[in-house]
């Protein structure tokens, strides 16, 4: 479903409601925020002396995306992985963080990423929040806790970002688990993710 069709469906079904001072989607308030906010947030995270800030930012994004896609799963009765995956990709594209193109397994190719683009040229992958969003949405799709590693970044190559969402075992099998050392502290993150799932539950589908 294209973006225009997706927004049309939401409007017709009154899932997307716009009033003076309020925008809500699936009974959840949303806000239009300039990309410059996320750029400054990432600048702070990448230069922060707080060693936990990057992991916390990742977790906030993971939790937000998990709960949001969980709501979609339940609202539309998305019982199969294929349905959940397709909706997740549509919602990701609608968010405005770039043009999502699915690859094999849980590879995502993102072009025209405005946050990464603003950092180019840079020395390391910068998409902390987008990794968290991909992983949170992926967790709601796969119905198991997954995390996301960035193997290519537009901030470095000026062209695209490549994300791989999966379990630690899957990442190890792909030969990219070495990226955890600089991108995700699993010992810190996974217990918190488990607690979030325990409190909110898996999608009721």
């Amino acid at each position: 479903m294209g973006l225009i069709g997706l927004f049309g469906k939401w409007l017709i079904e009154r899932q997307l409601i716009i009033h003076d001072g309020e925008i809500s989607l699936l009974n959840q308030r949303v806000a239009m925020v300039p990309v410059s906010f996320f750029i400054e947030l990432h600048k702070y995270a990448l230069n922060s002396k707080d060693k936990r800030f990057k992991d916390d930012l990742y977790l906030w994004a993971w939790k937000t995306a998990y709960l949001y896609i969980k709501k979609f799963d339940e609202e539309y009765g998305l019982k199969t992985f294929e349905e959940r995956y397709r909706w997740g990709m549509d919602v990701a594209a609608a968010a405005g963080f770039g043009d999502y193109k699915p690859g094999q397994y849980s590879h995502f190719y993102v072009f025209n990423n405005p946050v990464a683009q603003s950092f180019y040229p840079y020395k390391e992958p910068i998409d902390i929040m987008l990794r968290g969003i991909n992983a949170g949405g992926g967790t709601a799709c796969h119905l198991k806790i997954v995390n996301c590693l960035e193997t290519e970044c537009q901030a470095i190559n000026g062209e695209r970002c490549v994300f791989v969402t999966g379990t630690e075992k899957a990442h190890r099998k792909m030969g990219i688990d070495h990226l955890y050392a600089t991108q995700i502290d699993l010992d810190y993150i996974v217990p918190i993710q488990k607690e979030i799932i325990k409190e909110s539950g898996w999608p009721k589908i």
Side-chain angles (χ1 to χ4, degrees), residues 3 36 38 80 84 92 113 115 124 159 174 176 186 193 203:
L3 287 183
S36 58
F38 300 106
T80 69
R84 296 190 296 271
N113 175 346
V115 177
E124 61 182 311
E159 296 180 4
M174 295 176 194
I176 59 172
L186 289 178
Q193 291 173 324

Side-chain angles (χ1 to χ4, degrees), residues 1 8 16 23 37 40 58 81 104 137 141 153-154 158 176 191 196:
M1 182 182 298
L16 174 62
I23 304 172
F37 171 80
E40 293 304 318
Y58 176 91
F81 169 78
Q104 287 187 318
C141 288
C153 185
Q154 189 174 347
I176 59 172
I196 292 169

Side-chain angles (χ1 to χ4, degrees), residues 59-195:
L59 275 169
W60 301 334
W62 184 94
K63 179 179 180 180
T64 299
Y66 171 73
L67 294 177
Y68 217 78
I69 299 302
K70 175 179 182 289
K71 181 80 170 177
F72 272 92
D73 292 350
E74 295 170 345
E75 186 73 22
Y76 290 104
L78 306 180
K79 298 184 182 299
T80 69
F81 169 78
E82 289 75 18
E83 289 177 312
R84 296 190 296 271
Y85 181 83
R86 186 173 63 251
W87 271 95
M89 293 299 289
D90 284 343
V91 172
F97 288 110
D99 184 14
Y100 271 69
K101 301 293 184 187
Q104 287 187 318
Y105 306 109
S106 291
H107 286 67
F108 303 103
Y109 300 88
V110 180
F111 299 86
N112 195 28
N113 175 346
V115 177
Q117 194 173 48
S118 73
F119 279 84
Y120 178 77
Y122 203 69
K123 61 184 181 299
E124 61 182 311
I126 61 91
D127 290 294
I128 303 163
M129 190 178 70
L130 208 51
R131 283 193 292 101
I133 289 172
N134 292 338
T139 295
C141 288
H142 290 277
L143 301 183
K144 67 172 65 173
I145 292 177
V146 295
N147 284 295
C148 183
L149 297 172
E150 187 170 18
T151 61
E152 296 181 32
C153 185
Q154 189 174 347
I156 299 172
N157 60 44
E159 296 180 4
R160 69 177 187 178
C161 300
V162 180
F163 300 95
V164 184
T165 300
T167 62
E168 183 181 11
K169 181 179 179 180
H171 286 147
R172 188 181 306 114
K173 188 175 181 180
M174 295 176 194
I176 59 172
D177 55 306
H178 62 281
L179 295 174
Y180 282 112
T182 55
Q183 295 187 18
I184 305 173
D185 182 348
L186 289 178
D187 291 336
Y188 175 69
I189 282 177
V190 172
I192 298 174
Q193 291 173 324
K194 289 180 177 179
E195 191 61 32

